């Protein structure tokens, strides 16, 4: 989540929880526009030397004289493109852990071969960006206002002067929609979408979705809670707004749903609970935020957490609130939840 410092939003709070709010999204979160324009966009490619265009989820058509070669992207976007055979030159966003290893959002990319413009919220080296002679910047959007994820508000104008941007919306829609948009984008950039690796991944995704649907139908009474942990607070996400949870719910998964009134301070994404009240909702399975910004289950020392029935039963699994938008990387998201449902015991 962003480290926006809007009223009522803590730095950790926005980073945590089930949705993701960009700088400015916190202030726009109460708007009614959900950004569902239904436009699949257009992409065209006329060989490596021909013109290139792509209509993104802002409705903006970006045009270049040739297919972009020097691509700079948000880390998760770079990871998705990598799975389709498109290598980016530079990235910004969580890329390297404090231990120097690849962040979970870097996917299979070799981060030693990337120029990292910034590894945390607010970090974006314009000098490094300019040195890459970028053809295009690609990132996601977590609001309907067109806010570019992890592009600092204070320097967005300077960044925009160096190259056009392409944005894929991951706001208030099901996972399959941004997955298709990233597929379209990769194809426009020259990816071979008929390669066995690509088509096999899509088939595995479809099979995993069928498995999850069946598991959810077989265990309708199993309640699933999406959570995220920080030092002071525990965040419970509602399914609305988040691409993964909206999709899982559509497949039949029975989620804990905080009331809208409880999610107001979380911009509609989540409810913040003190650790003393972490047992407010009854859950049989808990999905926990796997990003480096959140405390991982094994590191949670709170006694109230350890007393939760799902925790005691070992029914805690990871969740990726910012999925890498390739079919290959989204398969485990479906299979992990399906397997958890298949094995789950009613403990709440």
């Amino acid at each position: 989540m962003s480290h926006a410092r809007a009223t009522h939003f803590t730095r950790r709070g926005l980073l945590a929880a089930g949705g993701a709010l960009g700088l400015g999204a916190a202030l726009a979160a109460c708007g009614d526009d959900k950004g569902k324009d239904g436009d699949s966009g257009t992409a065209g490619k006329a060989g490596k030397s021909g013109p290139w265009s792509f209509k993104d989820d802002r409705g903006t058509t970006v045009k270049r004289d040739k297919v972009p070669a020097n691509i700079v992207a948000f880390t998760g976007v770079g990871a998705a493109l990598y799975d389709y055979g498109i290598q980016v030159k530079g990235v910004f966003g969580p890329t390297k852990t404090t231990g120097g290893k690849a962040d979970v959002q870097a996917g299979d990319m070799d981060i030693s071969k990337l120029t990292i413009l910034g590894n945390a919220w607010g970090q974006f080296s314009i000098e490094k960006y300019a040195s890459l002679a970028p053809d295009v910047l690609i990132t996601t959007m977590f609001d309907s206002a067109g806010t570019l994820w992890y592009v600092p508000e204070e320097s967005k104008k300077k960044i925009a002067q160096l190259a056009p941007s392409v944005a894929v919306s991951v706001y208030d829609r099901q996972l399959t929609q941004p997955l298709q948009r990233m597929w379209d984008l990769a194809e426009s950039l020259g990816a071979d979408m008929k390669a066995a690796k690509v088509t096999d991944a899509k088939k595995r995704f479809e099979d995993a979705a069928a498995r999850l649907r069946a598991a959810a139908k077989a265990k309708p009474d199993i309640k699933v809670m999406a959570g995220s942990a920080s030092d002071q607070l525990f965040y419970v996400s509602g399914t609305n707004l988040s691409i993964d949870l909206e999709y899982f719910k559509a497949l039949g998964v029975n989620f804990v749903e905080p009331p809208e009134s409880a999610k107001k301070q979380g911009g509609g994404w989540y409810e913040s609970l003190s650790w003393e009240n972490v047992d407010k909702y009854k859950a049989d399975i808990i999905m926990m935020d796997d990003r480096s910004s959140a405390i991982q289950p094994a590191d949670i020392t709170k006694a109230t957490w350890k007393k939760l029935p799902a925790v005691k039963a070992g029914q805690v699994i990871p969740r990726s609130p910012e999925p890498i938008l390739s079919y290959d990387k989204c398969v485990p998201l479906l299979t992990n939840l399906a397997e958890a449902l298949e094995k789950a015991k009613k403990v709440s």
Side-chain angles (χ1 to χ4, degrees), residues 2 6 10 16 26 38 54 64 101 112 117-118 139 195 197 207 213 215 258 283 298 312 317 321 334:
S2 86
T10 64
F54 188 84
R64 302 264 71 183
K101 295 182 179 180
S112 68
L117 308 182
T139 188
K197 178 183 176 182
D207 291 344
R213 188 188 296 276
K312 292 170 69 175
I317 63 172
L334 298 169

Side-chain angles (χ1 to χ4, degrees), residues 323-344:
I324 293 173
L325 296 172
S326 71
Y327 286 102
D328 179 70
K329 292 298 180 292
C330 287
V331 168
L333 311 186
L334 298 169
T335 54
N336 288 346
L337 182 53
E339 183 177 359
L341 282 169
E342 291 163 355
K343 294 180 178 179

Side-chain angles (χ1 to χ4, degrees), residues 1 13-22 29 34 36 141-144 149 169-179 225-228 235-251 253 255-258 260 263 266-271 287 289 291 319-323 325 330 333-334 337:
M1 292 350 27
L14 282 171
L15 266 169
L21 298 176
K34 294 189 174 183
K36 291 183 176 177
M141 298 184 297
F142 281 92
D143 63 10
S144 60
W149 191 230
S169 180
V170 288
Y171 176 72
D172 196 13
R173 59 202 61 207
Q174 292 182 26
L175 176 62
T176 45
Q177 187 173 344
L179 269 174
M225 179 168 68
S228 185
Y235 307 90
V236 180
S237 295
T239 58
N240 190 30
L241 306 183
S242 298
I243 58 172
D244 61 330
L245 302 185
E246 283 200 16
Y247 183 53
F248 300 156
K249 182 180 180 180
L251 292 175
V253 178
F255 280 99
V256 168
E257 294 282 5
E260 290 303 315
K263 295 188 294 181
W269 294 89
Y270 58 85
E271 177 181 1
M287 303 176 68
D289 189 341
R291 291 169 299 175
R319 176 201 168 206
S320 300
E322 293 184 61
L325 296 172
C330 287
L333 311 186
L334 298 169
L337 182 53

Side-chain angles (χ1 to χ4, degrees), residues 84-153:
Y84 291 128
I86 303 297
Q87 180 74 56
V88 302
K89 295 292 181 68
V91 293
F92 54 94
T95 307
K96 185 184 296 186
T97 66
T98 53
K101 295 182 179 180
D103 188 273
V104 65
Q105 295 194 64
D108 293 333
M109 291 189 297
D110 183 350
I111 62 173
S112 68
K113 295 181 179 179
L114 297 170
T115 298
I116 301 175
L117 308 182
N119 198 56
W121 184 262
Q123 296 179 0
F124 191 111
S125 172
I126 297 177
E127 291 75 18
K128 286 184 178 180
Y129 183 52
S131 72
L132 293 174
D135 294 320
V136 67
L137 178 149
I138 309 174
T139 188
T140 51
M141 298 184 297
F142 281 92
D143 63 10
S144 60
T147 307
L148 299 179
W149 191 230
Y150 268 81
V151 173
E153 188 74 11

Side-chain angles (χ1 to χ4, degrees), residues 44-52 64-69 135 188-190:
K45 173 176 170 286
K48 290 296 181 182
S49 60
W52 176 86
R64 302 264 71 183
D65 291 338
K66 60 182 180 179
V67 176
D135 294 320
S188 79
L189 292 168

